[in-house]
């Protein structure tokens, strides 16, 4: 769905990564869906392209697990938007997931690009 | 768990709210982007459009998000089913054709499967049925022959392989003293027989060991059916007496209903041991059959080795003429369902399965056509955001809904077919009447319905994934995308249908030819205008040979005086009666054969008139005469087959002596006075076995069939025959009263049944295949109508269109015929044992089947080809 054709192909999210990234994006402050996708694209230096067809279901799953909660709020420029925030349960989950993924990333790079 | 709970509570309360909430949220999302775009300097309209583009597929996102809250499988399946039903209602004609075609196939398959299941597969209705074995003796030539009472007792006492063992002997006894004499189907059994088959008494008791000993008081146990029918279900029947063959039996029990004793039901059970003489020799054969329950873990082979060891020991300790006899142990489950019946049923199952395949092929091609017509619909749905796997799932569900409806129709059809099958099926197929639509059959029907739904629906579903959006949406005409897609698959369907139809036509052709051959076999006598009365004189009433002679003499005379009766003869086994006894024989004037080489022949009893009454040709010498009486030289008449086996020329047999029992077994030597033509004793489609006749007046037999040649339809004399029999002695029951043609006719019942069904399936295949071929070719022409119109418009002659379309059809048919001929060759090997009088590999039959199928294909193809040829270029091109 990208509008520009000559960009390098965006990375797809691995199974389960989008959820932990959403949790991470909410660590500092609550945010709405668009904000979350902006944050992720920005932070990844546009390596990740967030597809709304995946983002919304992921948000719904996190809601179901009670890792995040949602409420409607005014945005800075006066629009109403649905804001998500981490629950205490979600915060704990983020810590656990984060260390798991860090280990995963380290292990991957050790295998793929070994430094002797 | 938590997820589930929140799903459930959401589903119950917040579903609607959730949907609205999601919409609102996405709306807000869009506005946020729009705001940003405006801030960048776009006009509001451009900003909104750009936001839309940036967001991506709204519906897709919403559906995915919503699915997170649903029990997706279940809910979407329900929705797909609803959608499928709507589709079926919308295109009634199409759906009806699909449902009828599949329903027919499923119904026929279910009906035949239920017969196969009942006859071949259903476990025996006894506890440990898999361990039950049939016991008998065996010789070098025959296995499973009757066991003698003495041997059986040794087996029972000394074996180590059996948990329990029973002996059973059938007997037809006449019941007297309760109205007209009737024949009772009695079973003499050891008391263990009830244990093995778990039969229990409803009233009274079963036999004890004391009842089963020689000299015990005669007692009888009744089946509930006999008790109801003959004794009116009288509850005070215990202690009453029953006069069977002149002996009075005390009724001691009535069995519980619902249990059948080894398929054929008996009416009365009597203790076997009481009737046996303990002083019998080891070689005195009655017709005792054994039933054994193997110990757990023992096989029939081990059990046979065990019994054989006993037989070898007995041969040393109690030597006799049958020291070479060994045992026979065969699983009961295999015993009844082996051989030809098995082949016949499996052939029918295979044939009906092929019919279903053709039905599937037809439906597949129909569905393919429809899915092509729906290309636009599908393309539109993909364009507005339907995921492709989701679409495929929905198409599949639609097909399964169709298959499910067809399955339900098939079940109804199967129920009806099954009733008909049981009604017209031959009566000698064991357990055929037990066939019902029970659980395993229902499971089978469900399984094939699903399979059929998947099989027929696969092509369109696979196709749906490949819809080319741009082409499908851009091409304006309603036939957009009809192109070449799927045509290859359709061609394969035509080839397969032609091939399968050829195999079925070949098989039913072979069987039909066999039946015709069998029906035209010369039975060796003239079966027209012959009435037969089957009688058995009770031994208690007719003890002496003279009394038997006197009775049959009197009855013959009485019948002969009946107006319209030309002649009367006597025989024990009329043609078609089957094997009523065979025995060893040898020719005294010939070298003595080795013990294992002593030949067997059927034996029969006939009086002087029989050959004349039945019009059996005399080949050499003479038949019996009034002069062959008691006290004169014992004589025999042999059939041509026996004569040719023993002598170069039938003429040479005359004056020689036939030793009954062969050189190693006691038996009389009979002078051969005549040779007569072979008769079909077993059945019309079996080899005419060697046979010799005893002279009835020298060797009277209580069991005889009285044969009367009448002037006109013998059925007219049935009442007179009954009256005459009753006049001579009203205590003699008539076992059967029928024509000689009836005797012969039933011998082909099984063959007729199989041929009828196979013919039916062949016909069904032809109809379905021709519809299928027509459909596919017609479609082929429709898809090319434009092309044809253009060709004609630029000057192609119509004959070239004919050549083009005709060649296409011919190529498919030719490929199908080649494959079909290969299939027929394979089928021929399987059919070998079922054909009679024709070579199963008959090239002629294959060519006929091939020609028939080509003709059918040509007829089915002619209409589409004609349509192609007569395309009106002007109208066609204008329309487009």
């Amino acid at each position: 769905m990208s509008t520009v054709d000559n960009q390098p192909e965006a990375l797809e999210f691995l199974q389960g990564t989008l959820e932990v990234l959403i949790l991470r994006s909410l660590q500092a402050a609550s945010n709405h869906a668009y904000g979350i996708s902006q944050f992720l694209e920005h932070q990844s230096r546009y390596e990740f392209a967030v597809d709304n067809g995946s983002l919304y279901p992921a948000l719904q799953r996190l809601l179901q697990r009670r890792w995040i909660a949602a409420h409607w709020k005014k945005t800075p420029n006066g629009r109403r938007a649905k804001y998500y925030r981490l629950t205490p349960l979600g915060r704990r989950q983020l810590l656990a997931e984060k260390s798991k993924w860090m280990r995963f990333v380290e292990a991957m790079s050790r295998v793929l690009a070994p430094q002797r | 768990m938590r997820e589930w709970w929140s799903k459930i509570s959401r589903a119950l309360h917040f579903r609607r709210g959730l949907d609205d909430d999601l919409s609102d949220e996405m709306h807000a999302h869009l506005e946020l982007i729009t705001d940003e775009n405006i801030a960048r300097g776009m006009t509001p309209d451009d900003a909104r459009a750009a936001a839309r583009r940036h967001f991506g597929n709204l519906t897709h996102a919403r559906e995915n998000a919503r699915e997170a809250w649903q029990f997706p499988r279940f809910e979407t399946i329900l929705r797909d089913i609803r959608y499928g039903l709507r589709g079926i209602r919308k295109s009634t004609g199409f759906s009806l054709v699909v449902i009828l075609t599949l329903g027919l196939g499923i119904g026929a398959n279910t009906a035949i499967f239920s017969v196969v299941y009942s006859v071949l597969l259903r476990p025996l209705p006894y506890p440990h049925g898999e361990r039950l074995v049939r016991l008998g003796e065996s010789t070098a030539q025959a296995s499973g022959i009757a066991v003698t009472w003495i041997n059986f007792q040794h087996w029972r006492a000394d074996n180590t392989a059996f948990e329990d063992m029973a002996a059973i002997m059938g007997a037809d006894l006449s019941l007297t003293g309760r109205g007209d004499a009737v024949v009772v189907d009695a079973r003499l059994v050891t008391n263990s027989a009830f244990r093995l088959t778990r039969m229990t008494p409803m009233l009274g008791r079963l036999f004890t060991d004391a009842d089963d000993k020689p000299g015990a008081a005669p007692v009888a146990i009744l089946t509930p059916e006999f008790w109801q029918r003959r004794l009116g279900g009288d509850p005070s029947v215990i202690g009453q007496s029953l006069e069977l063959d002149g002996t009075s039996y005390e009724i001691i029990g009535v069995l519980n209903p619902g249990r059948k004793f080894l398929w054929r039901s008996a009416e009365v059970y009597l203790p076997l041991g009481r009737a046996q003489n303990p002083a019998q020799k080891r070689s005195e054969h009655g017709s005792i059959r054994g039933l054994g329950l193997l110990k757990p873990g023992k096989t029939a082979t081990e059990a046979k080795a065990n019994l054989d060891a006993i037989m070898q020991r007995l041969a040393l300790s109690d030597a006799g003429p049958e020291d070479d006899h060994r045992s026979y142990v065969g699983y009961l489950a295999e015993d009844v369902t082996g051989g030809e019946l098995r082949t016949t049923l499996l052939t029918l199952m295979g044939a009906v399965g092929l019919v279903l395949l053709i039905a599937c092929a037809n439906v597949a091609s129909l569905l393919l056509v429809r899915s092509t017509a729906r290309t636009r619909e599908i393309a539109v749905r993909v364009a507005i955001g339907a995921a492709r796997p989701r679409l495929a799932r929905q198409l599949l569900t639609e097909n399964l809904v169709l298959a499910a409806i067809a399955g339900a129709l098939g079940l109804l059809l199967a129920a009806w077919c099954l009733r008909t099958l049981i009604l017209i099926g031959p009566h000698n197929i064991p357990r055929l009447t037990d066939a019902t639509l029970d659980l395993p059959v229902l499971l089978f029907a469900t399984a094939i319905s699903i399979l059929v739904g998947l099989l027929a629906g696969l092509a369109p579903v696979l196709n749906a994934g490949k819809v080319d959006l741009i082409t499908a949406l851009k091409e304006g005409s309603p036939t957009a995308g009809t192109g070449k897609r799927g045509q290859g698959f359709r061609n394969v369907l035509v080839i397969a249908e032609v091939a399968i139809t050829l195999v079925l036509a070949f098989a039913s052709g072979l069987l039909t030819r066999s039946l015709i051959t069998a029906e035209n076999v010369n039975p060796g006598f003239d079966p027209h205008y012959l009435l037969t009365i089957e009688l058995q004189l009770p031994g208690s009433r007719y003890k002496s040979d003279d009394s038997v002679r006197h009775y049959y003499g009197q009855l013959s005379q009485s019948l002969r005086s009946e107006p319209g009766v030309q002649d009367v003869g006597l025989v024990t086994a009329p043609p078609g009666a089957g094997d009523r006894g065979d025995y060893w024989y040898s020719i005294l004037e010939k070298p003595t054969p080795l013990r294992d080489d002593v030949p067997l022949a059927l034996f029969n009893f006939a009086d002087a008139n029989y050959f004349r009454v039945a019009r059996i040709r005399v080949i050499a010498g003479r038949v019996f005469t009034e002069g062959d009486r008691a006290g004169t030289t014992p004589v025999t008449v042999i059939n041509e087959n026996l004569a040719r086996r023993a002598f170069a020329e039938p003429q040479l047999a005359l004056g020689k002596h036939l030793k009954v029992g062969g050189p190693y077994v006691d038996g009389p030597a009979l002078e051969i006075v005549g040779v007569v033509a072979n008769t079909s004793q077993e059945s019309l489609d079996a080899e005419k076995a060697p046979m010799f006749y005893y002279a009835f007046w020298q060797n009277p037999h209580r069991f005889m069939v009285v044969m009367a040649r009448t002037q006109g339809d013998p059925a007219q004399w049935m009442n007179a025959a009954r009256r005459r029999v009753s006049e001579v002695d009203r205590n003699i029951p008539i076992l059967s009263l029928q024509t000689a043609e009836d005797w012969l006719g039933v011998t082909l019942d099984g063959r007729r049944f199989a041929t009828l069904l196979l013919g039916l399936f062949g016909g069904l295949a032809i109809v379905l295949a021709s519809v299928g071929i027509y459909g596919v070719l017609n479609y082929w022409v429709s898809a090319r109508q434009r092309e044809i119109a253009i060709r004609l418009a630029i000057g192609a002659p119509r004959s070239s269109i004919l050549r083009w379309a005709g060649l296409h059809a011919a190529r498919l048919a030719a490929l199908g015929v080649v494959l079909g001929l290969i299939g027929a060759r394979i089928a021929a090997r399987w059919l070998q044992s079922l054909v009679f009088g024709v070579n199963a590999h008959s090239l002629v039959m294959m060519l006929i089947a091939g020609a028939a199928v080509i003709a059918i294909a040509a007829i089915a193809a002619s209409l589409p080809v004609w349509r192609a040829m007569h395309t009106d270029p002007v109208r066609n091109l204008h329309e487009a």
Side-chain angles (χ1 to χ4, degrees), chain B residues 105-224:
Chain B
I106 292 172
N109 272 274
T110 305
I112 297 293
F113 176 77
S114 110
V115 170
V116 168
Y117 179 75
S118 179
V119 176
L120 298 183
L121 304 176
R122 196 203 306 270
L124 294 175
Y126 308 111
H128 313 304
E130 75 287 352
R131 282 196 276 138
L132 281 180
V133 289
R134 194 163 78 80
L135 304 175
E137 292 185 15
S138 62
T139 69
Q141 288 162 354
S143 67
I145 59 177
V147 54
T148 62
W149 176 241
I150 305 298
N151 281 341
F152 173 77
Q153 285 183 312
H154 281 291
W155 290 0
R156 184 162 61 174
D158 299 343
N159 82 79
T160 56
F162 292 90
E163 218 169 87
D164 208 343
M165 215 182 253
I168 298 138
M169 189 169 92
D172 289 326
L173 304 177
S174 14
L175 170 69
T176 48
R178 289 179 187 264
D180 266 352
V182 289
V183 179
V184 172
D185 184 6
R187 211 54 67 80
L188 284 79
V189 297
T190 56
N191 54 355
S192 49
F194 296 112
R195 270 203 306 276
L196 286 182
T197 54
R198 285 282 161 88
M199 291 199 290
T200 48
M202 175 169 66
L203 293 174
R205 61 178 178 90
L206 298 177
F207 302 139
T208 60
D209 286 340
D211 296 320
D212 208 9
K213 289 203 166 67
V219 291
I221 293 174
L222 314 181
T223 56

Side-chain angles (χ1 to χ4, degrees), chain A residues 1 3 32-34 38 52-53 56-57 60 64-66 72 75 79-80 82 84 89, chain B residues 2-3 6 21-22 24-26 28-29 31-33 35-36 55 61 64-65 68-69:
Chain A
M1 300 293 161
T3 46
H32 45 68
Y34 178 54
Q38 293 282 76
N52 286 316
Y56 276 90
Q60 298 300 331
Q64 277 167 22
R65 293 179 199 150
R66 309 261 155 98
W72 287 89
T75 65
R79 292 261 179 216
R80 258 171 54 83
K82 197 176 186 181
Y84 297 92
L89 202 65
Chain B
R2 205 201 305 268
E3 264 178 59
S6 54
D21 202 54
L22 257 174
D24 288 352
E25 186 180 2
M26 288 178 185
H29 190 151
E31 283 178 341
L32 286 173
I33 308 175
D35 285 353
E36 277 188 17
F55 187 94
N64 281 354
W69 286 105

